[in-house]
Amino acid sequence: MHLPKRPGDFIVLVLFQTPCGHNFCLKCFLEWVGQGKRICAKCRCSIPPKMASEPRINAVVVTAMRMARMSRSSDVVGPLKVQHFVHNQNKPDKAYTTKRAKKTGKANASSVQMFVTTAPDHFGPILAGSDPDRKQGVLVGESWEDRMECRRWGAHLPHVAAVAGQSGHGAQSVALSGGYEDDEDHGEWFLYTGSGGRESFDQKFIKMNEALRLSCRKGYPVRVVRSHKEKRSSYAPETGVRYDGAYRIEKCWRKTGIQGFKVCRYLFVRCDNEPAPWTSDEDGDRPRPLPVIKELKQATDITVRTEQPSWDYDEEEGCWKWKKSPPLSRNPMDSETPEDRKRAGRAMMQAQNLAVREKLLKEFSCLICRKVMTLPLTTPCAHNFCKPCLEGAFSGQEFVKQRTCEGRRTLRSQKTVMKCPSCPNDISNFVQNPRVCIYQLRLP
C-alpha cells in the first residue's frame, strides 16, 4: 500500500479490491503476485487464479477520487473567470468559412458579432436594455434570412439544434422547423416533440428533454421561432425564420410516436405581452384555458406544474411578468456593477457544485436498481451492486445441484453457474460470501 507523500493527500489509494474486501494499489498487487504469492497480504485468504492473472481496476473508486480532487482544486484556484459577452467588437461581421463549408456566412456561426448583450442562457423576451444600437430589443414578428441571423439577435442561439437549454438550468428557446411528424401547431398553442431517438430507440427525459421539463416545472418563458421549413403549419412564415414571442410549457409526458418508439411531448401555450404576428390585436395574450389533449389518455410519465409559475400574468398591471426572480445566468457577463458580478459568481459556483454532485451519484449507482448503492459490493469482474440487489438476483438458487439417475447410481453433484448481471463471468464463489466495500477516501 502506497502512503501519501504530502499532508492533505488521500490516505488510501483504492484501485484494486480482493474478494475478501481489502484494497491495494494495482502496482503493489502485481508485485505481490509476481513473487508467487496467491494469498491476501492482510488476511491470508486465497486469491482466485483468474483474479491473480487478470486483475481489474475498480473504476468507480478511481473516478470518484479524480472528481474529489477536481472539486478540491476548484476551491483553491482563486476568483472565477468572468466570460465576456458585451464587448465582442473583435469578432468579424460575417462568419469565416472553411474548406468543407464554402457558402459565405453559413459556417462557424459562433464567430460573428452578436447584436444583443444578453447572456447565452437568458430567459424570457429580449428587451430594449439588451439592444445597444436600436434600443428596442427583439420584437415579435421580426424575421431573418436564416437561423444564423436569428442567432445574432439572441432569439434562438443554436443554428442547427431545435432546443437551446441545459438539463440542470432549463430551456430558453425552441425552433419549429418541421423535423418531427408528431408536432401539432395551432398558433396560440402547439404540441412539441423532444429530441433524440424517435426512429431507433425511445426518448427519455435527459439532456434537452430534461431542460424542457425543468422549464415546465418552474414555469419559465420559452422563446419560440418558426421556420419556413415547417410546411404542415399554416402559422409558419413563407420565407426565413420568424420570432413569435414567449410560450410557457404547461404539461409534458411520454407516448408512443408515429415511428413506433416512445417520444417526449410538451404542451406550449403562448404568454407574451405582444400580439401574435398572425393576429390584428393590439394587446398581447391573456390567460386562457388549456386545450383538451386526447393523447394524454395513453400517456405515461406525465409532469404537471404544481408550484406557482415564475412567469405569470399580473391582473393589476395587466401584463405578463416575472413573479419570481429569473434564474441566475451561469455565464456571467463582464458587468461594471459589483453586485451583478457577485450574483453571477454565486450562480456559477452552485452550478459547478451541482454538476460534481450529480456525477458522483451517477458513478456510485447500482447497476441493477440504478440508485445510489447501499451496502456496496464489487464483484471480481469489477462491477458494483447493492448487496440486497445482488443477493435478490440469485435468491432461490442453490450453489450445488444434486443429480440423481433413476434406477442407476447417483451422479456427482454439479456446481451452479451464477453469471454476473452485467457480464458473463461466473461469480458463484463471490455470492456465497459477499463482502461489503469500504472506500477509504479523505479530503483535507
Side-chain angles (χ1 to χ4, degrees):
M1 184 70 62
H2 290 304
L3 295 178
K5 297 181 180 179
R6 296 178 301 175
D9 286 350
F10 290 94
I11 293 299
V12 178
L13 187 62
V14 185
L15 291 180
F16 180 79
Q17 187 177 60
T18 59
C20 53
H22 295 119
N23 305 293
F24 304 94
C25 303
L26 182 61
K27 181 179 179 181
C28 299
F29 180 79
L30 293 176
E31 292 178 356
W32 180 265
V33 174
Q35 298 174 4
K37 301 175 181 179
R38 294 295 185 270
I39 57 175
C40 176
K42 192 169 185 179
C43 65
R44 304 303 175 182
C45 293
S46 61
I47 300 176
K50 186 173 182 180
M51 177 177 291
S53 59
E54 300 178 0
R56 297 196 179 188
I57 294 175
N58 194 331
V60 172
V61 181
V62 175
T63 305
M65 294 172 60
R66 186 180 297 117
M67 293 176 61
R69 287 197 179 105
M70 180 178 62
S71 63
R72 182 184 63 179
S73 61
S74 63
D75 297 336
V76 297
V77 293
L80 295 173
K81 182 180 178 180
V82 179
Q83 301 183 16
H84 298 261
F85 295 100
V86 178
H87 306 292
N88 61 350
Q89 63 272 16
N90 295 328
K91 294 184 179 180
D93 294 334
K94 293 185 178 181
Y96 63 89
T97 59
T98 62
K99 294 181 178 179
R100 297 184 60 185
K102 296 293 185 181
K103 294 183 179 180
T104 305
K106 303 301 179 183
N108 305 298
S110 61
S111 66
V112 296
Q113 292 185 12
M114 299 290 291
F115 296 137
V116 297
T117 58
T118 59
D121 52 359
H122 170 75
F123 286 87
I126 299 174
L127 305 178
S130 301
D131 185 0
D133 295 330
R134 303 187 308 174
K135 305 296 183 181
Q136 65 180 14
V138 179
L139 304 178
V140 173
E142 284 199 61
S143 299
W144 302 277
E145 179 183 356
D146 50 29
R147 290 273 294 273
M148 198 202 76
E149 290 297 326
C150 173
R151 179 190 183 278
R152 300 184 69 179
W153 286 100
H156 184 66
L157 288 179
H159 63 290
V160 176
V163 181
Q166 305 80 31
S167 59
H169 194 56
Q172 294 86 36
S173 60
V174 297
L176 297 177
S177 55
Y180 294 90
E181 300 178 7
D182 302 85
D183 291 351
E184 297 180 20
D185 192 359
H186 299 271
E188 277 71 23
W189 65 273
F190 61 88
L191 295 179
Y192 190 76
T193 306
S195 61
R198 181 170 55 102
E199 296 180 353
S200 56
F201 57 89
D202 295 339
Q203 291 184 359
K204 297 180 181 179
F205 286 112
I206 57 175
K207 298 181 180 180
M208 294 297 103
N209 296 337
E210 177 60 25
L212 291 171
R213 184 166 69 166
L214 181 58
S215 292
C216 172
R217 290 173 174 171
K218 299 295 184 179
Y220 295 153
V222 181
R223 297 185 300 273
V224 174
V225 297
R226 284 181 170 87
S227 172
H228 71 282
K229 296 181 180 179
E230 178 57 276
K231 304 298 183 182
R232 297 169 298 151
S233 173
S234 57
Y235 298 92
E238 295 182 0
T239 58
V241 181
R242 185 186 66 212
Y243 173 58
D244 288 346
Y247 284 68
R248 199 171 61 184
I249 307 175
E250 301 295 340
K251 295 181 181 180
C252 59
W253 62 92
R254 294 177 69 216
K255 70 129 189 176
T256 303
I258 298 177
Q259 304 289 344
F261 294 91
K262 284 192 174 183
V263 294
C264 299
R265 300 278 280 170
Y266 305 88
L267 171 61
F268 282 74
V269 179
R270 198 173 190 275
C271 56
D272 200 285
N273 291 317
E274 298 183 40
W278 52 83
T279 65
S280 58
D281 299 336
E282 296 182 358
D283 300 325
D285 300 299
R286 292 184 64 87
R288 55 172 62 90
L290 299 181
V292 178
I293 309 299
K294 297 181 180 180
E295 66 183 56
L296 281 173
K297 297 180 180 179
Q298 291 81 27
T300 59
D301 302 330
I302 301 176
T303 301
V304 181
R305 183 172 55 255
T306 56
E307 58 183 279
Q308 181 185 3
S310 301
W311 175 268
D312 204 0
Y313 189 79
D314 191 303
E315 295 290 346
E316 296 181 358
E317 300 183 14
C319 65
W320 296 86
K321 58 182 294 187
W322 287 100
K323 291 291 186 178
K324 301 178 182 179
S325 299
L328 295 175
S329 172
R330 300 194 304 177
N331 297 306
M333 298 189 302
D334 187 11
S335 175
E336 297 179 358
T337 307
E339 295 181 358
D340 294 342
R341 193 171 297 177
K342 289 181 180 179
R343 291 175 66 250
R346 287 196 301 268
M348 181 179 291
M349 183 66 71
Q350 292 175 1
Q352 290 178 350
N353 293 339
L354 181 62
V356 172
R357 180 176 178 273
E358 290 179 350
K359 291 179 180 178
L360 282 173
L361 292 178
K362 183 178 179 180
E363 292 297 335
F364 283 101
S365 61
C366 172
L367 297 177
I368 296 178
C369 65
R370 302 297 179 182
K371 299 180 180 179
V372 179
M373 290 184 291
T374 57
L375 300 177
L377 298 174
T378 301
T379 61
C381 49
H383 293 119
N384 302 280
F385 307 95
C386 302
K387 185 176 181 180
C389 295
L390 187 63
E391 291 178 345
F394 300 102
S395 61
Q397 298 186 26
E398 298 180 354
F399 295 103
V400 178
K401 294 181 180 179
Q402 301 295 336
R403 301 186 300 167
T404 58
C405 185
E406 296 181 0
R408 299 184 182 180
R409 63 183 179 86
T410 302
L411 300 178
R412 189 189 319 180
S413 59
Q414 184 180 16
K415 177 183 175 182
T416 303
V417 176
M418 298 182 177
K419 294 184 179 180
C420 173
S422 297
C423 69
N425 289 331
D426 182 18
I427 59 172
S428 56
N429 293 333
F430 177 79
V431 175
Q432 292 182 22
N433 186 22
R435 300 287 185 92
V436 176
C437 304
I438 301 177
Y439 300 128
Q440 301 178 15
L441 296 175
R442 184 176 69 86
L443 288 173

